Amino acid sequence: MDYAIAPPAVPSLPVQGSALRFPVRRIFCIGRNYAEHAKEMGATVEPGRPMFFCKPADAVVADDADVPYPSATNELHHEVEMVLALGAGGRDVPVEHAASLVWGVGVGLDLTRRDLQAQAKAKGHPWDVAKAFDHSAPVSALRRLDGALPGPDTELRLSVNGALRQQARLGEMIHDVPHILAALSALFELKPGDLVFTGTPAGVAALSRGDRFHAALAGYAELDGRIA
């Protein structure tokens, strides 16, 4: 097929222990999935109604590359999250089958222009400019799963310049992985290559130019980077 312009490169992530790359199709995110984070943001939680938003696939920052400080903000905030990489998809996937869609896991940051998000919330506007900007999704190398998902005692944490900022266990999530994927598949047809950010715990705060961060999903994935 001939294109009018050169087609864009496919965003991808490294795979632990392999020279293969995982191609990224879409990025879905769930908001307010840890009660303490919702509380610190002054938001209410609706357990039966998960809230989703999206980032573009090319917002991914891979291979521990530097993250450019974004334009139009003075409040770039970190939100550490477990990231699911889907190897299968479907529509209206039953909860009991949803975990089988997951190919692997990683850890990532849902970077947020918090001042722009606050302005959008105040006016009832969408969050796109606050969440879906360039380089807003640093993600670690992915670990392929050969069996069960990370358990509820698995620790998620983030340190900035060596100081612990965020720490929680996956069992603190309001919506667990099967329910996240089942709910998403009722709204979108999920497909291989999709990434799903599963929400952030309390402790979100600002990042400055020159800051170095270390994120970990204990026993599964680690991510290092610098705000350039």
Side-chain angles (χ1 to χ4, degrees), residues 126-209:
W127 294 2
D128 298 62
V129 297
K131 291 285 193 178
F133 55 93
D134 297 339
H135 315 292
S136 61
V139 182
S140 69
L142 300 174
R143 175 172 171 177
R144 184 168 187 175
L145 296 179
D146 295 322
L149 293 166
D153 290 332
T154 303
E155 188 178 71
L156 179 67
R157 59 181 180 268
L158 174 74
S159 297
V160 177
N161 300 326
L164 185 65
R165 291 273 187 94
Q166 293 183 266
Q167 185 176 31
R169 298 188 184 279
L170 298 184
E172 297 174 39
M173 291 195 295
I174 296 167
H175 307 280
D176 64 13
V177 168
H179 284 87
I180 291 171
L181 296 180
L184 261 180
S185 73
L187 298 169
F188 304 90
E189 182 180 3
L190 301 179
K191 293 190 176 182
D194 289 342
L195 298 182
V196 182
F197 280 63
T198 57
T200 195
V204 300
L207 290 165
S208 300
R209 293 171 179 83

Side-chain angles (χ1 to χ4, degrees), residues 51-171:
M51 183 194 71
F52 298 110
F53 58 93
C54 297
K55 292 176 181 276
D58 62 2
V60 161
V61 180
D63 305 296
D64 293 341
D66 284 353
V67 179
Y69 197 96
S71 62
T73 185
N74 292 310
E75 291 185 59
L76 175 66
H77 277 209
H78 57 72
E79 299 190 5
V80 67
E81 312 199 9
M82 176 174 69
V83 180
L84 310 174
L86 303 190
R91 289 193 184 99
D92 297 315
V93 178
V95 170
E96 59 269 24
H97 296 150
S100 67
L101 305 185
V102 180
W103 180 91
V105 295
V107 64
L109 298 187
D110 166 19
L111 294 178
T112 303
R113 294 195 276 206
R114 191 70 73 201
D115 45 359
L116 300 190
Q117 186 187 37
Q119 294 168 21
K121 285 180 177 180
K123 296 178 180 179
H125 290 175
W127 294 2
D128 298 62
V129 297
K131 291 285 193 178
F133 55 93
D134 297 339
H135 315 292
S136 61
V139 182
S140 69
L142 300 174
R143 175 172 171 177
R144 184 168 187 175
L145 296 179
D146 295 322
L149 293 166
D153 290 332
T154 303
E155 188 178 71
L156 179 67
R157 59 181 180 268
L158 174 74
S159 297
V160 177
N161 300 326
L164 185 65
R165 291 273 187 94
Q166 293 183 266
Q167 185 176 31
R169 298 188 184 279
L170 298 184

Side-chain angles (χ1 to χ4, degrees), residues 32-45 174 200-204:
R32 303 171 185 170
N33 200 28
Y34 287 79
E36 289 303 309
H37 171 59
K39 182 178 178 180
E40 74 178 350
M41 298 303 296
T44 57
V45 177
I174 296 167
T200 195
V204 300

